[in-house]
Amino acid sequence: MADKKRVFVKTYGCQMNVYDSQRIGEALISEGYDITGSPDSADLILVNTCHIREKAVEKIYSELGRYKKVKDKSPELKIGVMGCVAQAEGKEIIRRQPLVDLVVGPQSYHRLPKMLRNVEAGEKAIDIDFPTEDKFLYLPKTKKKKLPPAAFLTVQEGCDKFCAFCVVPYTRGSEASRSPVHLLAEARSLVEKGVVEITLLGQNVNGYSYIRHNEDWGLARLISELAKISDLKRIRFTTSHPNDMTDSLIKLFGTEEKLMPYLHLPIQSGSDRVLKAMNRRHSVEHYLRILSRVRESRPDVAISGDFIVGFPGETEADFQATLELCEDVKYAQAYSFKYSSRPGTPAAKLKEIGEDTKSERLSRLQSLLMQHQKQFQQNMIGRRYSVLIEKEGKEQGQVVGRSPYLQPVFLQGSLDLLGKIIPVEMKSYRTNSLEGKMI
Ligand code: 5AD
Ligand code: SF4
């Protein structure tokens, strides 16, 4: 029998890309491929791409350039580009990097096996349609009997919000939610394979909405139903928009024990003027009101967020307002980025502010956010939290898990603990993790 073909999948971008890459890997295993961890031994390389900022895109083109050497050594190698750059740039990718054989956008992944057959026949294949069917229904499920304890599950994709800076509405299409029947079935099958924590994914996950028997299932209802799966112990969701934080979802933080006390709720800027220019369609006050209601519902909730500094027209006073907001909220964790102009978005027409100003503001914001993150972790020292043990640590006899607030926690323990939720006393913290001791 001929050797199996090998595929190497390289993933950039968000957790949704991670989920997509996993599903595609499984689909290719069903097509007779093996997964390899090295591009040098691959017959097929797939690069799953992110278009969110210019830097992310440049990284991808330089990665593709590196594959030239691999292709020189094995001319039969095929190279595919998937994800958001594929969607946004289409055949331009092949013009810029002729090594590429295949370009497939996020909504067409179920067509990949057929496209690969065309590529094998020596053609270039491009598919950047937005078909309406749920691609995940057509991608085979995993054949693995045992899965790691924490899994992702995409429940919603796309965005109708059109923030002025953002490519997502153009790369992932309009908001679409998957059927709760399929999601519950997928969650049950994950749990049967050892999954105890599921993170529900969506670009606007709290905008999840599915009409079934004339009833609108929102995210709160979906989470409540998932929580009935008894061996599923923890549920998380990301990423949310302030305008979709429904009363029922806010309440659920206080009533559903399996919903973890962690909310990622980006605001992007602390200035109403900038929020307006960004077309966020909410004020700082509205955002703060939501946070205080979530905190009423679940007092220990950890808040995380995203910020963009240096949006066109942002003044020093606007930026100060962002710093004040952070002082007010005290984020447990937050991601911050310099504004990056994206082709085709409304903000791309606006005059940009200087790179130096952007860099200087970013570093001021990041040092404040880091201070708050440290304070949050420091407050955990000496206290006990439940930790889901996810994997072996790098050091001998060490395992790594996650606190309810998503931080990695390192501790001494045996591999029997994998998949278990155990009480851990926090002993010390580093920038992005904690060290603890099993009780
Ligand atoms: N420039 C910089 N950051 C951006 N983000 C989205 N679009 C841009 C852009 N054009 C950030 C936002 C978003 C996160 C996923 O990426 O903060 O919440
Ligand atoms: Fe990047 Fe957005 Fe696409 Fe995720 S959805 S890969 S963040 S552009």
Side-chain angles (χ1 to χ4, degrees):
M1 206 175 84
D3 273 352
K4 275 191 170 180
K5 292 210 166 202
R6 280 171 297 224
V7 57
F8 171 72
V9 185
K10 173 89 186 172
T11 305
Y12 291 93
C14 61
Q15 291 151 326
M16 196 168 285
N17 271 12
V18 174
Y19 177 79
D20 288 343
S21 289
Q22 278 164 358
R23 292 297 303 266
I24 281 167
E26 297 298 339
L28 292 178
I29 291 171
S30 299
E31 290 283 309
Y33 282 84
D34 268 339
I35 308 276
T36 166
S38 144
D40 298 316
S41 65
D43 302 285
L44 169 66
I45 295 177
L46 288 176
V47 188
N48 195 357
T49 60
C50 176
H51 201 249
I52 200 94
R53 285 170 288 274
E54 192 183 355
K55 256 196 191 155
V57 178
E58 288 314 313
K59 244 198 234 166
I60 283 146
Y61 279 106
S62 61
E63 176 85 19
L64 289 172
R66 281 199 288 277
Y67 295 147
K68 182 158 189 333
K69 278 200 197 118
V70 190
K71 179 108 179 169
D72 285 344
K73 266 195 244 147
S74 33
E76 291 305 303
L77 171 72
K78 305 291 181 204
I79 299 175
V81 176
M82 47 192 262
C84 297
V85 176
Q87 188 64 46
E89 306 214 334
K91 60 176 187 286
E92 170 66 15
I93 296 177
I94 298 181
R95 199 194 58 76
R96 199 168 150 186
Q97 183 45 275
L99 283 178
V100 173
D101 302 286
L102 174 148
V103 175
V104 59
Q107 302 314 334
S108 303
Y109 291 155
H110 50 304
R111 297 175 178 168
L112 190 62
K114 182 162 177 279
M115 292 174 76
L116 284 172
R117 285 190 277 277
N118 294 343
V119 167
E120 287 300 330
E123 293 171 25
K124 300 262 181 196
I126 301 178
D127 189 336
I128 52 170
D129 282 354
F130 282 112
T132 50
E133 64 265 21
D134 177 356
K135 65 191 167 197
F136 296 117
L137 280 186
Y138 299 88
L139 286 172
K141 302 260 166 16
T142 180
K143 291 204 175 67
K144 286 188 196 137
K145 297 221 161 45
K146 183 90 186 130
L147 293 173
F152 292 135
L153 177 56
T154 293
V155 304
Q156 179 280 338
E157 261 187 270
C159 183
D160 300 334
K161 304 276 188 301
F162 292 94
C163 295
F165 52 80
C166 189
V167 286
V168 170
Y170 314 98
T171 58
R172 289 272 172 173
S174 54
E175 288 180 19
S177 297
R178 297 177 64 196
S179 149
V181 176
H182 298 142
L183 292 171
L184 285 161
E186 192 168 332
R188 276 190 211 102
S189 102
L190 291 172
V191 171
E192 276 161 21
K193 294 179 166 133
V195 169
V196 284
E197 174 179 302
I198 294 183
T199 301
L200 307 176
L201 300 179
Q203 268 99 25
N204 271 294
V205 72
N206 58 340
Y208 177 85
S209 162
Y210 194 94
I211 307 289
R212 188 171 137 72
H213 303 315
N214 288 327
E215 278 181 64
D216 187 355
W217 280 58
L219 186 66
R221 169 93 185 263
L222 180 68
I223 292 173
S224 301
E225 295 294 327
L226 286 166
K228 291 180 187 159
I229 303 174
S230 65
D231 289 336
L232 176 62
K233 304 294 183 200
R234 288 175 154 195
I235 303 172
R236 303 179 184 276
F237 61 89
T238 194
T239 278
S240 296
H241 191 286
N243 290 356
D244 287 327
M245 281 306 289
T246 59
D247 292 345
S248 48
L249 190 57
I250 293 173
K251 273 203 200 115
L252 203 64
F253 274 100
T255 54
E256 181 47 71
E257 255 179 45
K258 292 186 179 180
L259 179 59
M260 290 292 96
Y262 185 95
L263 174 64
H264 182 64
L265 195 66
I267 181 169
Q268 315 297 353
S269 165
S271 152
D272 280 335
R273 220 179 59 80
V274 174
L275 290 181
K276 190 151 196 294
M278 286 177 164
N279 193 34
R280 290 287 293 179
R281 289 184 276 193
H282 63 79
S283 61
V284 173
E285 192 191 336
H286 175 72
Y287 176 82
L288 290 174
R289 176 88 197 109
I290 293 168
L291 293 192
S292 76
R293 289 178 58 214
V294 175
R295 281 175 165 151
E296 259 166 47
S297 180
R298 177 84 205 225
D300 71 325
V301 72
I303 305 296
S304 126
D306 289 345
F307 290 93
I308 295 177
V309 300
F311 186 77
E314 184 191 70
T315 62
E316 176 60 26
D318 292 319
F319 177 67
Q320 282 297 334
T322 299
L323 297 179
E324 276 163 33
L325 169 89
C326 294
E327 283 292 3
D328 198 352
V329 174
K330 301 262 186 325
Y331 289 91
Q333 206 191 359
Y335 305 89
S336 46
F337 313 96
K338 279 193 265 186
Y339 169 72
S340 165
S341 171
R342 306 308 297 125
T345 59
K349 297 198 188 84
L350 305 175
K351 188 172 177 297
E352 284 206 53
I353 68 171
E355 198 54 34
D356 291 350
T357 310
K358 284 193 214 172
S359 302
E360 186 255 344
R361 287 182 189 164
L362 185 69
S363 82
R364 277 154 74 198
L365 176 62
Q366 289 187 335
S367 71
L368 183 68
L369 292 170
M370 190 48 70
Q371 219 176 298
H372 294 158
Q373 181 175 325
K374 276 192 187 153
Q375 269 164 19
F376 184 87
Q377 310 215 131
Q378 202 169 17
N379 284 341
M380 293 175 71
I381 304 304
R383 298 181 195 207
R384 292 169 183 194
Y385 295 93
S386 65
V387 171
L388 166 61
I389 305 299
E390 289 185 18
K391 55 184 184 195
E392 202 175 347
K394 284 207 180 88
E395 287 166 26
Q396 180 75 24
Q398 190 189 50
V399 287
V400 193
R402 294 241 178 212
S403 77
Y405 313 114
L406 212 54
Q407 303 113 330
V409 180
F410 294 83
L411 58 136
Q412 288 296 311
S414 73
L415 292 181
D416 303 344
L417 295 174
L418 291 185
K420 300 220 164 69
I421 296 174
I422 56 166
V424 173
E425 185 174 315
M426 301 304 156
K427 294 288 182 195
S428 62
Y429 68 94
R430 292 178 221 153
T431 314
N432 293 309
S433 63
L434 288 148
E435 199 151 345
K437 192 167 182 295
M438 187 166 50
I439 312 289

